[in-house]
Amino acid sequence: MRKMKVISGFVIGFFVIGLMFLSVSTPMAAPPKGAPAKFKVAFVDFFSGTAAVFGIGGKNTSELLVKQWNKKGGIRGVPIDLVVIDEAGGPKKQVTEFRRLVLEEKVDAVVGYTSSGNSLAIAPVADELKTLTVIHIAGTHQLNDKIGKGGYTFRTSVNQAADSVILARYLMKVMPDIKSIAGIQPDYSWGRDSWEAFKVAMLALKPSIKVKAELWPKLFAGEYSAEISKLMLSKPDVIHSSLWGGDLISFVKQAAPRGLFKQSTVLLSTGEQVLMHVKGIMPDGVVALPRVTAGYFLDPDPEMDPLQKEFVESYYKAYKRYPEYTTYRTYQAWAGLKAAYEKAIDILGRWPTTEEVISAFEDLAYQAPGGTIIMRSDHQAIHGGVIGVTKFSEEYGFPILVDRVRIGAEEITPPFGMKTMDWVKTIK
Amino acid sequence: MVTIIILDGLNYAANLFLVSVGLTFVYGVLRILNISHGALYALGAYMATWLTLLLLKVGLPDILTYFTLLVGAIIIGLVFGPLIERLALRRIYGSDIHIQLLLTYSILLILDDLMKLVWGTDPLFVSEPYSFIGMFEVSGILYPWYNILLMGVAVVFGSFLIWLVRRTRFGKIVVSVIYDREISAAMGVNVGLIFTVAFSIGAFSAALGGAFIAPTIAVVPGFAIEVVVMAFAVIAIGGLGSLEGAALGALIVGLARATSIHLFAELELVVIYLIMVLVLAFLPKGLFGEVEERRI
């Protein structure tokens, strides 16, 4: 009996070792016919100046994904070669940089652009140079006019109006009796557009809403005492703010001790991004969201979603922090690019031309850690978003979002072919 | 409401004065329009915040954080003042203003990168000095005592600088050096040393502004650039190089901004530059621009 066990042990052992050999010696799938030796992609985001808070997460994600995917054979056996470029310097510089990337560095595709101004300047040049460009963060709805009729540019996250509409929808679900609102926004296009979409959406959903204050501090003002006094004196039920990064932290630092967050419900459209930094200064009960982004590091639950688990764990292992919205949006862009190439290769049985990839990208549904992203034929992706309320977590050492609600793409995105603000005015 | 507007206005004026005092001092004393002022202001904020956080970690009582803010500013003044003056500015005294602007702008860029290298890009902030002295109630809302403390720091420091330049032997020597370098040297004044000390005081002034404003904000790369643009507006209104002008300019801008926020919020940004345009249209050298030949 014992001899039998030893023999069967040997047999299993040999079988396992054999399998290991097999897996080691099996070459990765051969690249498709006509494939280049490497697939060169530029990632463009801010790594200097105040907007560097956006770029670092994006760069980390790009490097992590390229490394992980290359280990598994890149895109159908073709390794990805990553070039990282700083987005600072304004649209003129970025257009020159884009031309250099395409003409001199010979990149096959470009991923990136956080600034709306830069994205608007790049889209026509991408068409001119016939270079596939995937916009990962820039939110202006004006970009839809430039990319909506085909061309070489895609946007893999919903536009900025969704960040405001999702908050309006959420408010009507959790505070249907709300009577008044106020806003404090940085005085440039992002702040102006955010507030306009929020105010219009609130008035569409509840026409009796009163607007008690609209405040416009200068971008990077840092000092908000007078604005906070005004908000405290006007006592709105809800305060909406699109302040971000250091400005948002400064605002919270000055407003929280004065009791503003106790007096009114505060909504922060980019609040999630600062939570890991603010530690104890963010009060509990603030409504915050990672803009409209399909993923949050606790949602979907990593234990229930293998892709989310792999991303959160590997990102934390590599950078000792959890992914936030810029990282998820970067993932959405890279995953879209990869899925489009793979779909085209699978259909054609060879390496595709850029135009063939564009056809494959249109109407493509693909997976990202936050769920399914659908790329419409107008080159605008749609997906839902997660929204929650801050609560300090002893486990993580910073506030996390609890009581999370998911709101679907259909509630926050205009129907195909409809202009964004025309739609916001008519939402019900 | 009026009380709140005045308080908010004075608070913003104190902020503006602390941001612009170093800039106007260096121009008044050395005749250098120091673009790197913004970086020195940011360095003060970074050093003070970093030092305070470090000492809080090892058990520093909250009350001593005000002291560490001051020490942070002194360190920056002592290290970067002599360094910048000896290595760079010394070579361009009397040069064309374009050279001054290019050189000091280059220093700003170098220091900006240095800060990123040392402190990274994550926000750095300390709240203890702001929260330690608590709040008081006025017109039914809470107001931070720290804002009042900032007003105090602005008044005391501004008075100190005026006293230093006007009433001390050092001030008189500085005046003589600015007036005529060669004769001062012939009279036995160590001209080089006076320039170094004077610029270091200017660097300390910039850093002090950053250090004491830091507890109310998040210190992030590039945060000082926009603030310093405002400082230029203030000293243009007050008159380049005039400490009293900077104080009055800050007061006017602070009160006008607070009034517009409370009554016509759309005009918050416009009102500051509107005042500057109006002042410069009628008094091209600013409010205190022509009161004295030497402005400090």
Side-chain angles (χ1 to χ4, degrees):
Chain A
M1 191 65 192
R2 197 174 157 203
K3 204 174 167 186
M4 280 292 286
K5 268 189 182 171
V6 172
I7 292 169
S8 59
F10 267 115
V11 171
I12 292 170
F14 274 118
F15 184 67
V16 170
I17 291 166
L19 269 182
M20 280 166 64
F21 262 100
L22 201 66
S23 65
V24 170
S25 59
T26 304
M28 283 182 186
K33 217 170 111 186
K38 57 187 181 182
F39 178 58
K40 197 168 182 180
V41 185
F43 178 72
V44 189
D45 208 328
F46 288 97
F47 311 123
S48 59
T50 319
V53 291
F54 296 107
I56 304 299
K59 179 169 165 278
N60 289 347
T61 309
S62 302
E63 287 171 351
L64 182 73
L65 288 179
V66 168
K67 198 170 147 196
Q68 284 178 347
W69 290 347
N70 280 347
K71 262 191 195 165
K72 295 176 189 165
I75 296 179
R76 295 281 188 265
V78 179
I80 302 167
D81 184 14
L82 176 68
V83 185
V84 174
I85 300 289
D86 190 357
E87 196 184 330
K92 267 191 183 171
K93 177 174 177 263
Q94 285 312 313
V95 166
T96 311
E97 196 67 67
F98 188 91
R99 287 186 189 281
R100 190 188 67 77
L101 284 169
V102 176
L103 301 173
E104 287 177 31
E105 295 238 17
K106 310 273 184 223
V107 297
D108 299 296
V110 179
V111 173
Y113 301 104
T114 284
S115 149
S116 287
N118 288 344
S119 73
L120 291 170
I122 291 297
V125 188
D127 289 347
E128 181 196 325
L129 299 177
K130 301 188 188 313
T131 303
L132 181 58
T133 300
V134 185
I135 306 286
H136 71 327
I137 291 182
T140 177
H141 56 78
Q142 293 171 40
L143 186 65
N144 291 101
D145 295 336
K146 299 219 175 202
I147 64 175
K149 297 182 187 83
Y152 288 74
T153 305
F154 289 78
R155 173 157 57 188
T156 47
S157 45
V158 290
N159 79 23
Q160 183 190 14
D163 302 327
S164 298
V165 175
I166 197 173
L167 283 166
R169 295 269 193 216
Y170 174 84
L171 268 187
M172 296 313 293
K173 284 185 210 294
V174 300
M175 288 177 72
D177 296 331
I178 174 177
K179 290 188 176 59
S180 57
I181 56 172
I184 172 165
Q185 327 289 344
D187 194 2
Y188 76 112
S189 57
W190 155 260
R192 294 266 167 188
D193 290 350
S194 290
W195 175 244
E196 190 200 357
F198 179 73
K199 188 168 85 169
V200 170
M202 285 306 296
L203 288 169
L205 293 170
K206 191 167 186 184
S208 61
I209 287 270
K210 294 270 174 298
V211 179
K212 289 208 168 170
E214 296 172 89
L215 301 168
W216 305 102
K218 188 172 156 61
L219 177 64
F220 309 138
E223 216 294 313
Y224 304 102
S225 298
E227 284 89 349
I228 294 165
S229 298
K230 171 75 179 172
L231 290 170
M232 297 206 70
L233 290 171
S234 53
K235 295 187 172 46
D237 292 342
V238 164
I239 296 166
H240 171 277
S241 181
S242 60
L243 290 170
W244 52 266
D247 281 3
L248 178 55
I249 299 175
S250 299
F251 173 70
V252 173
K253 272 184 84 178
Q254 292 162 31
R258 296 179 66 181
L260 185 70
F261 293 84
K262 283 183 194 143
Q263 178 193 283
S264 304
T265 299
V266 179
L267 318 176
L268 303 174
S269 61
T270 68
E272 177 259 0
Q273 201 196 5
V274 300
L275 293 182
M276 268 183 279
H277 302 301
V278 294
K279 300 191 173 72
I281 67 162
M282 179 70 83
D284 288 351
V286 177
V287 179
L289 64 152
R291 294 187 55 190
V292 170
T293 301
Y296 170 60
F297 82 101
L298 295 170
D299 205 318
D301 183 351
E303 294 309 319
M304 309 294 285
D305 187 317
L307 192 59
Q308 164 86 327
K309 185 178 168 72
E310 187 196 358
F311 181 50
V312 173
E313 285 181 356
S314 59
Y315 193 89
Y316 187 82
K317 195 176 163 202
Y319 305 111
K320 296 290 167 283
R321 61 175 64 199
Y322 295 97
E324 29 87 358
Y325 93 81
T326 58
T327 62
Y328 278 100
R329 285 194 165 199
T330 308
Y331 196 121
Q332 285 174 206
W334 279 98
L337 179 70
K338 183 167 179 273
Y341 263 88
E342 288 175 347
K343 182 181 161 194
I345 292 167
D346 293 345
I347 292 171
L348 300 162
R350 59 170 168 79
W351 189 259
T353 63
T354 305
E355 289 72 20
E356 287 164 345
V357 178
I358 289 171
S359 300
F361 211 162
E362 291 171 355
D363 296 318
L364 171 72
Y366 63 94
Q367 291 304 310
T372 306
I373 313 292
I374 295 166
M375 177 58 72
R376 293 195 311 206
S377 57
D378 61 357
H379 293 198
Q380 171 62 57
I382 58 166
H383 54 79
V386 59
I387 186 164
V389 176
T390 56
K391 184 167 176 44
F392 187 80
S393 160
E394 295 292 345
E395 183 188 348
Y396 292 101
F398 58 85
I400 57 168
L401 296 178
V402 297
D403 301 333
R404 293 183 297 273
V405 176
R406 274 195 172 266
I407 296 186
E410 64 289 349
E411 287 195 70
I412 53 173
T413 322
F416 185 80
M418 194 167 183
K419 282 198 177 273
T420 304
M421 286 312 293
D422 291 346
W423 170 73
V424 176
K425 281 177 201 154
T426 59
I427 60 171
K428 290 189 179 93
Chain B
M1 174 80 134
V2 178
T3 322
I4 294 289
I5 291 177
I6 291 171
L7 262 180
D8 285 337
L10 291 177
N11 168 57
Y12 192 59
N15 269 267
L16 283 177
F17 181 73
L18 285 172
V19 172
S20 49
V21 66
L23 188 64
T24 208
F25 179 83
V26 168
Y27 186 81
V29 174
L30 300 179
R31 288 291 181 271
I32 294 246
L33 201 52
N34 180 24
I35 307 286
S36 70
H37 171 80
L40 291 165
Y41 170 82
L43 271 170
Y46 265 115
M47 179 54 86
T49 306
W50 177 78
L51 195 66
T52 307
L53 285 171
L54 190 77
L55 293 174
L56 280 169
K57 245 185 209 168
V58 296
L60 179 85
D62 286 2
I63 192 165
L64 290 181
T65 52
Y66 304 102
F67 179 69
T68 56
L69 296 178
L70 184 66
V71 172
I74 292 172
I75 293 172
I76 296 301
L78 281 179
V79 174
F80 287 91
L83 205 68
I84 295 172
E85 202 279 332
R86 294 253 158 164
L87 287 180
L89 297 186
R90 177 150 298 191
R91 296 160 203 275
I92 57 142
Y93 288 125
S95 300
D96 193 78
I97 188 151
H98 303 112
I99 307 286
Q100 288 182 13
L101 294 178
L102 282 174
L103 180 70
T104 53
Y105 184 59
S106 319
I107 296 170
L108 171 103
L109 295 177
I110 293 168
L111 292 180
D112 207 41
D113 269 357
L114 180 76
M115 283 181 268
K116 256 178 268 171
L117 208 65
V118 175
W119 286 291
T121 53
D122 281 350
L124 198 68
F125 54 86
V126 61
S127 299
E128 280 74 3
Y130 186 73
S131 54
F132 178 71
I133 40 175
M135 303 279 147
F136 62 98
E137 204 177 316
V138 54
S139 304
I141 62 170
L142 289 176
Y143 213 83
W145 275 114
Y146 192 82
N147 288 7
I148 308 296
L149 178 84
L150 271 186
M151 295 175 206
V153 171
V155 170
V156 169
F157 189 61
S159 311
F160 165 76
L161 285 180
I162 291 173
W163 169 80
L164 185 73
V165 177
R166 299 261 166 80
R167 308 271 172 194
T168 63
R169 187 164 179 272
F170 169 76
K172 284 175 183 140
I173 293 173
V174 169
V175 172
S176 74
V177 168
I178 297 299
Y179 203 73
D180 197 317
R181 210 173 303 176
E182 284 175 6
I183 290 186
S184 304
M187 300 290 283
V189 174
N190 185 343
V191 173
L193 183 69
I194 292 294
F195 273 121
T196 308
V197 173
F199 183 76
S200 301
I201 292 171
F204 166 69
S205 311
L208 187 83
F212 274 85
I213 288 169
T216 68
I217 59 169
V219 183
V220 289
F223 83 98
I225 306 289
E226 294 296 323
V227 179
V228 169
V229 171
M230 208 59 84
F232 274 98
V234 167
I235 68 166
I237 292 170
L240 276 180
S242 162
L243 287 168
E244 292 89 340
L248 189 62
L251 263 178
I252 293 171
V253 171
L255 288 168
R257 177 176 174 267
T259 310
S260 83
I261 287 172
H262 283 276
L263 303 177
F264 324 98
E266 273 288 335
L267 301 180
E268 173 176 349
L269 192 55
V270 179
V271 79
I272 296 167
Y273 295 104
L274 197 67
I275 292 170
M276 190 175 86
V277 168
L278 283 176
V279 169
L280 296 185
F282 295 101
L283 298 164
K285 291 196 168 175
L287 295 171
F288 280 67
E290 287 179 337
V291 172
E292 306 162 67
E293 189 189 350
R294 221 204 85 259
R295 293 179 194 110
I296 284 193

